[in-house]
Amino acid sequence: MKKTIYLITLNILYSALCFAAIPVWKLNLEKQFPSEKYVRAIGEGATESTAKKSALAELSAYFSQTIIAETESYQKIRQAGAGNGTSSDLWENVIIHSDTELFCVRYTAAWTEPKSKKVFVCAFIDRKEAWDLITQKMKGLEDKCNHLSKLADNEKESFKKLLILTKIRLLYSEYSRLYEKAVALFPKRGDYFEAFIRKMEGYMNKLMLLKASTAIQVKVSGDKGNSIYTKLSELLTRNGFLISSDGRYQLSATVNWNEAKQNEVYSAYPNIKILITGNGRTFASFNGECEKVAAYNQESMQRSAIFRLEELLEESFIKECFE
C-alpha cells in the first residue's frame, strides 16, 4: 500500500514538474505576446531548427494573408471614391511570396514536449519596432522618388523623361512592398501614406502614357537565329518599354562572336555593343564580353556562346542602362 502511494505521489510530482516546465507562450500565447503588440506564431518540428522554420513560415503566412485582405479592401475603397475614369492599379507589380521578407523576427528558447519529443519555438515580431524600421526605409525611398520626380518634371525630352520615370517605378515598387508590411502591422495607419501614394500614382500614369510615344526599334547585327534580338526585346518589354518596328528611338546592337578552330576544337569570345539613340542623342550604352567557350562540336559551341551572351544581358544590360 505504501509503495503504491509512493508511486502515485512520484507520478503526480513528475506531472506537476512537466506542466510547470511548459513555457507561458505554449500555455497562453496571448498572455505573453498580446496580438495588439506582437505578431507571433508557434512552430514545431523534430529539431529546434525545423521548429524555427515552421514558426517563420506561419509568420510569413500571416503577412501574406493580411496583405491580400488589406489590398483588396484598399482597392474597393479607392474604386468607390474614384471621381472620373478608372484609378490605375497601384498593386500592378505586387507579388506575394510564402517566404515574405520579414523584419525584427525574434525567437523564444525552444521547448521539447517530454512525451512526443516534439520541439516547439515561438517566433514573434514587436509591431512598433518593425513599424519604425519599415517606415524609416519608406521615408528614404520617398526622398529618392521626390528628387527624381522633380527631375522628370523639368525634363523636356520624352525618352529621357521615360528613363527617369522608370527609375521612379522601380523605387516605388519597393516602397509598395514595404507599405504592405507596414499596413499588415498597423492596418489603421494606412492613410499616413495616402498623399505620397496618390502622387506616385500620377507619375505612374504619366509613365504609361509616355510609353506609346517612346517606342523602341531593336536592330541587331551579327545575330544567330534572332536569339539576341529576342532576348533584348524580352528584357525591354519585361521592364516596361514598348517595342515597335517604326519606333522613334533605336536600340542598335552589334554582336562579335570571335569564333576560331584549332586542333579540332571550336571556340568563341562573344561580345556585344549596344547604343540607344533618338533625336540625335545617345541615351544609353552597354559593352559586354563573355568568357571563352569551347567544344569539339561547332553547333554545341555556338549554343554555349549564345547562352553565355543571353546570360550576360540578363544580369547586366537593364541594370547598366536604365537603373
Side-chain angles (χ1 to χ4, degrees):
M1 183 67 177
K2 288 182 179 180
K3 185 177 180 181
T4 303
I5 294 172
Y6 176 73
L7 290 173
I8 291 172
T9 303
L10 280 179
N11 284 331
I12 292 172
L13 289 171
Y14 176 74
S15 298
L17 285 171
C18 288
F19 184 79
I22 301 176
V24 176
W25 51 264
K26 186 68 171 65
L27 291 170
N28 190 336
L29 184 59
E30 182 66 19
K31 182 177 180 180
Q32 185 161 355
F33 297 109
S35 57
E36 183 181 352
K37 295 183 178 180
Y38 298 93
V39 181
R40 68 281 197 270
I42 295 175
E44 63 177 81
T47 65
E48 181 176 350
S49 176
T50 54
K52 283 185 175 181
K53 289 178 181 177
S54 172
L56 187 62
E58 289 295 321
L59 283 185
S60 296
Y62 163 82
F63 275 88
S64 295
Q65 292 162 8
T66 305
I67 286 167
I68 291 170
E70 289 299 323
T71 299
E72 289 176 350
S73 174
Y74 180 85
Q75 285 178 322
K76 287 177 182 176
I77 292 170
R78 295 302 297 276
Q79 288 168 4
N84 50 1
T86 303
S87 178
S88 63
D89 185 4
L90 174 64
W91 310 105
E92 177 186 0
N93 298 309
V94 171
I95 301 174
I96 305 300
H97 295 283
S98 59
D99 59 344
T100 302
E101 181 188 358
L102 301 179
F103 296 87
C104 308
V105 180
R106 293 191 176 91
Y107 299 91
T108 61
W111 175 73
T112 303
E113 190 176 54
K115 288 184 178 180
S116 67
K117 302 302 180 185
K118 286 183 179 179
V119 181
F120 293 86
V121 170
C122 180
F124 61 95
I125 296 173
D126 183 304
R127 290 180 186 269
K128 184 181 183 306
E129 181 185 8
W131 168 273
D132 290 343
L133 177 60
I134 290 171
T135 52
Q136 183 180 4
K137 291 177 180 287
M138 291 173 71
K139 181 61 171 64
L141 291 168
E142 277 189 29
D143 292 342
K144 290 178 181 178
C145 286
N146 286 330
H147 171 70
L148 287 172
S149 64
K150 289 179 181 177
L151 296 179
D153 290 340
N154 294 327
E155 181 58 55
K156 303 302 180 185
E157 210 291 321
S158 296
F159 196 80
K160 191 70 175 178
K161 179 175 287 193
L162 178 73
L163 296 183
I164 297 172
L165 291 175
T166 300
K167 290 180 180 179
I168 293 176
R169 181 179 66 85
L170 294 170
L171 293 170
Y172 184 51
S173 179
E174 184 181 350
Y175 179 93
S176 297
R177 287 190 288 271
L178 291 171
Y179 167 85
E180 292 167 342
K181 293 182 178 67
V183 173
L185 291 166
F186 292 106
K188 294 181 180 179
R189 298 185 185 180
D191 57 351
Y192 286 14
F193 315 100
E194 181 70 12
F196 180 75
I197 288 173
R198 285 186 181 277
K199 178 180 177 180
M200 287 300 104
E201 278 189 323
Y203 282 102
M204 295 304 98
N205 286 333
K206 288 180 182 178
L207 176 60
M208 294 298 293
L209 293 172
L210 199 56
K211 285 179 183 178
S213 61
T214 52
I216 303 175
Q217 295 182 45
V218 178
K219 296 182 179 180
V220 183
S221 62
D223 205 350
K224 289 185 182 294
N226 282 335
S227 55
I228 304 306
Y229 171 87
T230 301
K231 186 63 180 179
L232 287 169
S233 299
E234 174 199 333
L235 289 170
L236 290 169
T237 302
R238 190 197 307 168
N239 285 274
F241 297 97
L242 184 65
I243 308 300
S244 173
S245 58
D246 58 353
R248 290 174 52 198
Y249 298 87
Q250 298 81 40
L251 183 151
S252 303
T254 302
V255 182
N256 294 303
W257 300 97
N258 298 314
E259 294 180 342
K261 180 183 177 183
Q262 187 174 8
N263 299 327
E264 302 304 317
V265 176
Y266 296 90
S267 64
Y269 285 97
N271 66 66
I272 188 168
K273 295 181 179 181
I274 298 172
L275 283 178
I276 298 176
T277 59
N279 296 331
R281 297 177 59 181
T282 298
F283 298 99
S285 63
F286 175 81
N287 293 319
E289 185 173 87
C290 303
E291 295 180 357
K292 178 181 179 180
V293 294
Y296 287 105
N297 179 281
Q298 185 177 19
E299 187 177 343
S300 297
M301 180 275 294
Q302 288 180 345
R303 281 200 303 268
S304 296
I306 291 170
F307 174 79
R308 288 283 181 86
L309 201 50
E310 289 177 336
E311 192 175 45
L312 174 68
L313 292 170
E314 181 78 39
E315 291 176 355
S316 306
F317 167 59
I318 294 295
K319 186 179 294 184
E320 288 194 20
C321 287
F322 305 116
E323 293 184 9

